[in-house]
């Protein structure tokens, strides 16, 4: 111990210089890696996302939403599972690239694809139905999302659920993510409520979704619309990735939502089993 | 220079810290002493720092809450002192010694206590749609409006007359509010977009509201529902507080039904609008202090 102290004292200047050079080298190497952009096939949407999930194709609702949409729109696309380190320009983990152009945010990605490929999944619905679907998408992506995030990253841990093993994320990162979600949701507003209040507003949102859907096949009837992608992406997390938590108990009160998830899976994900890791027991092949 | 063993800079810090502590404690004590004597079974509504310049409230959430109380004819009293709830949110209410914060929780609380339900005439599916629009307005459109007003420098000339603070005070206030909005919206997500991208998002929301309203008298039909309180509150922010912005002109030019709806709601439930805005000559203070000026705000009781 003493010899280490002596060593540090004697060579403190050399140690500082080496550390600074080390940091500089790492930064330069990382920047160089980023600048060497990969070349992708032309006219193919490259969907950057995090890796496949244990029981659903993604652990994040927005990647599941966006990929479901790309399948619904039947546009040529490929997946690149690199966005844990290769984030979008807005610091998020779901984005697309098309012929060298980068687009962030799932809603903007969908609008971009609509323009480029001349797709409009909602055109045959009435204006009132389209407006209602827009409101449902906002409720799910801007409000329900936060209740799901709080349960997954904050409350489940407090209830003793082993989030780290289930989501295959090292325990210190789970803590860090929990703190980040607490801070972000506080700014957003939902995070200022108590757990009981978050429970209540989550139930109100799920009840509204359940009543809006009713006995219909999809949100607006027999045919799926773009808002179905948002709803499926979010409910998919509750349906497949809630592990018996309090959030799952609220969700199970509305069985028509569970049936809806299974229908969406049958319709747009016939290769579902190849797109999940089956509880981290094998690699997803797609 | 050293005095009593401490350098002059240390003295400056110590005195500065002591002044701030005294100011904060005085403020807390004054606020507690100045609780309004509200009768039983009357709702005491705590507002966001008093009446607005051209709108009865600077924020859409007190407008929503107060519109709900007016539509349901619930007896209430206003407190404009600017006290915040325990959650750091405003508006909030007190009712027979119970405190409730968050405008939506306040409405739910009053529904249970008073046995009133503006949504009773709606079908289950209509209630679901109304909830979805509630979230579109409050969790999405609201932030887009805040970003446009405080993070788009083109709108600074519109903010100046609205603010009671002038000169350096205004710039400090503007910097503080802009920073708070940027921080909150970054976490939310919408703040990661450019001001122009947020404009695209807001247009889609305004269009959805206009399309769903159509030619109906109220948002859900012939009778007012809870969602009308929220929509009216947000439209007063969009059409009056944000008058002169591209958001307001876009709504007037492309979705005029929202403007006529706003005028209908205003004349039905806010006939005394002109007596509740500080820009009007007939303004009357309907409870508590309604103005403040810079640092004196912290120290005055």
């Amino acid at each position: 111990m003493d010899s280490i102290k002596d060593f540090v004292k004697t060579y403190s200047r050399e140690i500082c210089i080496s550390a600074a050079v080390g940091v500089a080298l790492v930064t330069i190497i990382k920047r160089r890696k980023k600048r060497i952009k990969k070349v992708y096939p032309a006219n193919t949407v490259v969907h950057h996302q995090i890796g496949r999930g244990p029981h659903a194709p993604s652990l994040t609702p927005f990647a599941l939403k966006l990929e479901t949409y790309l399948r619904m729109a039947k546009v040529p696309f490929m997946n690149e599972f690199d966005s844990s380190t290769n984030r979008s320009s807005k610091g998020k983990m779901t984005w697309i690239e098309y012929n060298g152009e980068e687009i962030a945010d799932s809603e903007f990605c969908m609008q971009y694809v609509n323009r480029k490929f001349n797709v409009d999944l909602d055109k045959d619905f009435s204006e009132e139905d389209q407006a209602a679907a827009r409101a449902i998408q906002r409720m799910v992506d801007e409000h329900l999302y936060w209740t799901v995030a709080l349960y997954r990253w904050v409350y489940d841990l407090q209830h003793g659920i082993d989030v780290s093993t289930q989501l295959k994320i090292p325990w210190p990162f789970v803590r860090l993510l929990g703190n980040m979600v607490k801070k972000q949701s506080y700014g957003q507003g939902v995070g200022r409520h108590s757990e009981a209040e978050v429970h209540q507003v989550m139930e109100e949102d799920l009840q509204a979704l359940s009543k809006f859907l009713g006995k219909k096949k999809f949100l607006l009837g027999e045919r799926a619309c773009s808002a179905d992608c948002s709803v499926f992406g979010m409910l998919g997390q509750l349906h497949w990735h809630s592990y018996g938590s309090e959030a799952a108990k609220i969700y199970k009160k509305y069985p028509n939502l569970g049936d809806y998830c299974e229908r969406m899976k049958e319709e747009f994900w016939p290769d579902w089993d190849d797109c999940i890791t089956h509880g981290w027991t094998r690699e997803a092949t797609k | 220079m050293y005095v009593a063993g401490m350098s002059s800079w240390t003295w400056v810090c110590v005195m500065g810290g002591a002044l701030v502590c005294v100011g904060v404690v005085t403020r807390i004590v004054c606020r507690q002493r100045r609780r309004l004597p509200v009768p039983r079974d009357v709702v005491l509504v705590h507002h966001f720092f008093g009446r607005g310049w051209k709108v009865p409230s600077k924020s859409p959430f007190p407008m929503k809450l107060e519109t709900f109380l007016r539509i349901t004819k619930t007896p209430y009293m206003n407190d404009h002192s600017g006290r915040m709830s325990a959650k750091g949110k405003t508006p909030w209410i007190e009712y027979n010694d119970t405190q409730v914060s968050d405008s939506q929780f306040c409405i739910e609380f009053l529904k249970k206590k008073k046995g009133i339900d503006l949504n009773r005439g709606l079908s289950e599916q209509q209630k679901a749609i109304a909830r979805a629009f509630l979230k579109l307005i409050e969790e999405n459109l609201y932030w887009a409006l805040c970003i446009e007003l405080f993070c788009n420098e083109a709108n600074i000339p519109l903010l100046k007359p609205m603010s009671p603070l002038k000169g350096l005070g205004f710039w400090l206030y503007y910097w503080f509010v802009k920073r708070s909005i940027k921080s909150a919206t970054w976490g939310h997500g919408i703040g990661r977009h450019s001001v122009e991208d947020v404009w695209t998002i807001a247009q889609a929301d305004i269009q959805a509201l206009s399309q769903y309203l159509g030619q109906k008298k109220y948002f859900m039909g012939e009778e007012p529902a809870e969602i009308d309180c929220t929509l009216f509150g947000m439209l007063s922010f969009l059409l009056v507080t944000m008058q002169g912005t591209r958001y307001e002109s876009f709504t007037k030019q492309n979705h005029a039904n929202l403007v006529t709806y706003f005028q209908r709601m205003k004349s039905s439930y806010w006939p005394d609008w002109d007596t509740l805005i500080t820009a009007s000559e007939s303004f009357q203070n309907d409870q508590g202090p309604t103005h403040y000026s810079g640092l004196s705000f912290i120290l005055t009781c």
Side-chain angles (χ1 to χ4, degrees), chain B residues 40-185:
Chain B
R40 297 265 332 146
D41 301 336
V42 171
V43 181
L44 178 61
V45 182
H46 295 275
H47 283 260
F48 181 66
F49 297 114
R51 292 299 187 194
W53 186 55
K54 285 209 166 148
V55 187
S57 176
K58 300 175 185 64
S59 159
F61 299 101
M63 283 300 290
K64 162 192 173 184
L65 184 50
E66 204 173 345
T67 305
F68 174 80
L69 294 166
R70 285 169 172 239
I71 294 179
T72 54
K73 296 184 173 52
T74 305
Y76 73 98
M77 179 190 276
N78 290 312
D79 173 14
H80 296 302
S81 65
R83 273 171 71 199
M84 302 283 263
S85 73
K87 271 189 199 159
K89 278 183 140 189
T90 180
W92 56 291
I93 61 171
E94 285 180 85
Y95 182 75
N96 294 342
D97 304 323
T98 305
Q99 294 186 6
V100 185
S101 49
D102 185 276
S103 55
Q104 195 56 34
F105 286 156
C106 291
I107 288 175
E108 301 295 331
F109 173 83
L110 289 171
K111 277 161 69 172
K112 284 195 198 102
K113 284 285 176 194
K114 299 276 190 182
I116 38 178
D117 186 3
L118 277 183
N119 287 349
R120 64 183 168 279
L122 302 182
S123 68
E124 292 298 324
Q125 200 181 66
Q126 281 179 310
K127 286 181 192 173
I129 291 172
R131 182 170 180 88
F133 274 106
L134 173 75
K135 295 307 161 188
L136 177 147
I137 294 168
E138 295 191 339
E139 310 294 342
N140 203 59
L141 181 60
Y142 167 67
W143 291 114
L145 301 186
C146 289
I147 287 172
E148 175 69 10
L149 194 55
F150 288 97
C151 302
N152 184 354
E153 282 165 10
N155 292 322
I156 290 176
L158 297 170
L159 283 171
K160 279 184 174 167
M162 273 191 252
S163 167
L165 300 170
K166 309 291 173 204
L168 180 64
F170 168 78
W171 288 109
L172 279 171
Y173 148 81
Y174 179 74
W175 170 83
F176 178 74
V177 173
K178 181 177 175 177
R179 195 165 155 265
S180 310
I181 287 171
K182 277 199 161 168
S183 163
T185 53

Side-chain angles (χ1 to χ4, degrees), chain A residues 90-92 104-105 108 111 127-132 134-136 138-139 142-143 146 184-190 192-194 197-198 200-202 204-205 207-209 211-214 216, chain B residues 87-89 101-102 104-105 108 112 124-125 127-129 131-133 135-136 139-140 143 183-190 192-194 197-198 200-202 204-205 207-209 211-212 216:
Chain A
K90 291 173 182 170
K92 292 185 173 185
D105 184 83
F108 285 150
Q111 288 167 20
E127 276 191 353
E128 204 174 271
D129 275 351
Q130 286 183 40
R134 167 65 68 201
I136 295 274
R138 296 300 197 218
M139 177 179 79
E142 309 296 341
H143 191 252
W146 291 103
Q184 288 177 353
S185 60
Y186 189 85
Q188 189 271 348
V190 173
R192 294 179 198 223
H193 302 317
S194 66
E197 287 166 341
V198 171
Q200 180 196 326
V201 300
M202 179 189 245
E204 286 169 358
D205 280 2
Q207 188 182 71
L209 276 175
K211 292 204 191 297
F212 185 82
L213 178 68
K216 300 198 292 290
Chain B
K87 271 189 199 159
K89 278 183 140 189
S101 49
D102 185 276
Q104 195 56 34
F105 286 156
E108 301 295 331
K112 284 195 198 102
E124 292 298 324
Q125 200 181 66
K127 286 181 192 173
I129 291 172
R131 182 170 180 88
F133 274 106
K135 295 307 161 188
L136 177 147
E139 310 294 342
N140 203 59
W143 291 114
S183 163
T185 53
W186 182 267
H188 173 287
I190 196 173
R192 297 179 196 222
H193 302 306
S194 64
D197 282 346
V198 172
T200 313
I201 292 171
D205 282 0
Q207 182 183 335
L209 288 168
Q211 279 174 339
Y212 196 80
K216 301 198 289 290

Side-chain angles (χ1 to χ4, degrees), chain B residues 29 35 67 85 99 132 154 171-172 201 214 226 242 251 270 299:
Chain B
V29 165
R35 273 190 64 133
T67 305
S85 73
Q99 294 186 6
W171 288 109
L172 279 171
I201 292 171
E226 261 174 52
M242 289 178 71
T251 311
W270 289 86
L299 298 175

